[in-house]
Amino acid sequence: MLVLVKRLSTQQPKRPLIVLQKSLNKNVIVKLKNDIEYRGRMNNVDSYMNLILEDAEEFNGETHLANYGKVVIRGNNVLFIQIASEI
Amino acid sequence: MLVLVKRLSTQQPKRPLIVLQKSLNKNVIVKLKNDIEYRGRMNNVDSYMNLILEDAEEFNGETHLANYGKVVIRGNNVLFIQIASEI
Amino acid sequence: MLVLVKRLSTQQPKRPLIVLQKSLNKNVIVKLKNDIEYRGRMNNVDSYMNLILEDAEEFNGETHLANYGKVVIRGNNVLFIQIASEI
Amino acid sequence: MLVLVKRLSTQQPKRPLIVLQKSLNKNVIVKLKNDIEYRGRMNNVDSYMNLILEDAEEFNGETHLANYGKVVIRGNNVLFIQIASEI
Amino acid sequence: MLVLVKRLSTQQPKRPLIVLQKSLNKNVIVKLKNDIEYRGRMNNVDSYMNLILEDAEEFNGETHLANYGKVVIRGNNVLFIQIASEI
Amino acid sequence: MLVLVKRLSTQQPKRPLIVLQKSLNKNVIVKLKNDIEYRGRMNNVDSYMNLILEDAEEFNGETHLANYGKVVIRGNNVLFIQIASEI
Amino acid sequence: MLVLVKRLSTQQPKRPLIVLQKSLNKNVIVKLKNDIEYRGRMNNVDSYMNLILEDAEEFNGETHLANYGKVVIRGNNVLFIQIASEI
């Protein structure tokens, strides 16, 4: 019983990853640690924040740098992910 | 019995994360390692300090840089989180 | 039963790595954290994003730097991997 | 029996964290890797050195930078923690 | 049965390390994160990319810096390993 | 039997940490990655090289910077620890 | 049986650490990520490449900087270890 309670209670702190999972196919802005932004549709994401971005565009601030199509971004480079409805 | 005691005793050092959990929906200032601050309502946070910030505003010191709406910040970038009642 | 459900549900967040696995032998552009790009055929990749690149060419932006043949890139250096059909 | 012995012997090297636990509610100076110091009352700390600081003041050397009230500092940024009776 | 299937399927993504294992005693160029290259015969390598290099020569680009004989390189410094038949 | 043999054989490579444990209450010089040295009596140390230093003095080369009394240094910042009889 | 086979096959990639173990009490040159070298007798080493160096001398290139006697170097700082017979 205690174990079950613990399981339930430890699920709550995982929410940021669940929010990301519920935002699949939304437009996102992914800011990396090197300050470059990638804007596109978040096709998928895992618990490490590795993510697939489709129709990805690369920006340095407001300066458009490149179009990348489909890219897989390695999660450890992510600073933050801004989700679609807020863009 | 020993195992149970250990479980109880090892819960105490986890408190900083518990304090964060009890501060959901409070206003926070999140300072990142790159010295940029994000101010907003902490919608959720996990044990890695990944956190969801709503109505997020980006500051460099007192200079307002941008509004971001809802962002998911990757925990490994966090320097510290200042909780609402102290802001 | 619960355990089975959990297994199924935790497979979804792994997708970025599955997408990489399904892109074997496609041309990719691998951008590393030091901003250098390696273009070539992705012979294989593992869950750490260690990858084998064949006919690898090294670029700094559009400047061709070197040809490397077959290289094994250590995954922790990867910023992102752009997959073939989008190049 | 061997397992028990091992448990006992491996508890000794954990002492720095136990010393921190026994210093709760003492005044501390926390020096971070970025050379900034936070002085305040250590409300709690976990094994990762995540810590809660109350009445926190930020210093760059002897220059007072800001008052922060209650902050949760992420442990991986910590360089060292100086404990109260020695301040 | 499910477990067996999983084992088989998770072996494939490990291939970059298997390729390295099959290249023992070949000449390699190991480029480190600090941009220095070590050329020599790869006597052995482990899953962390720790590797033993024999008759190792140190280069900065095309500039020969030093001869090192047998060195053990710590894997986390490796940027990429270029395997012999492609040198 | 095999398991027992493995246990014995894997204990040997742990020796640097055992040497540290046997040096408790000796004077040490702890050099951190930021090139600053802390000299004092090593009250305790754990397997992560978190350590407690008493009567700690901070040096930049031969320049005395500060006295710190008792400090807990986070192990990941340690470059090396020089043990007393050699100081 | 399968498990046994796996065990045997996964022992091979560990060899760089075994080579280090077989080089105890040989003279080594340890180059750290900060480009400083430590030359001395490798008294012991563990799987993390934490190592004990006796009669340690510190060099910046060919410039002798200091004598350190016995030091425990934290493994994560190691770039490479050059073993005695090749010095």
Side-chain angles (χ1 to χ4, degrees), chain C residues 44 46 68 70 72 74 77, chain E residues 13 15 48 75 81-82 86:
Chain C
N44 218 321
D46 65 19
Y68 279 104
K70 185 195 276 189
V72 179
R74 202 173 190 265
N77 302 292
Chain E
R15 278 230 184 112
Y48 194 62
I81 301 170
Q82 182 186 358
E86 282 75 25

Side-chain angles (χ1 to χ4, degrees), chain C residues 4 7 21 32 34 38 44-47 50-52 58 67-74 76-77, chain E residues 2-3 12-17 19-20 31 33 37 48-49 75-76 78-83 86:
Chain C
L4 182 63
R7 280 202 181 184
Q21 272 302 317
L32 301 192
N34 63 5
Y38 297 86
N44 218 321
V45 62
D46 65 19
S47 63
N50 295 321
L51 55 85
I52 308 168
E58 186 181 49
N67 292 321
Y68 279 104
K70 185 195 276 189
V71 296
V72 179
I73 296 177
R74 202 173 190 265
N76 66 324
N77 302 292
Chain E
L2 261 163
V3 171
Q12 264 197 337
K14 277 180 193 163
R15 278 230 184 112
L17 300 173
V19 165
L20 288 176
K31 189 157 195 165
K33 288 181 191 176
E37 286 182 9
Y48 194 62
M49 294 205 196
N76 67 323
V78 171
L79 197 70
F80 64 75
I81 301 170
Q82 182 186 358
I83 298 170
E86 282 75 25

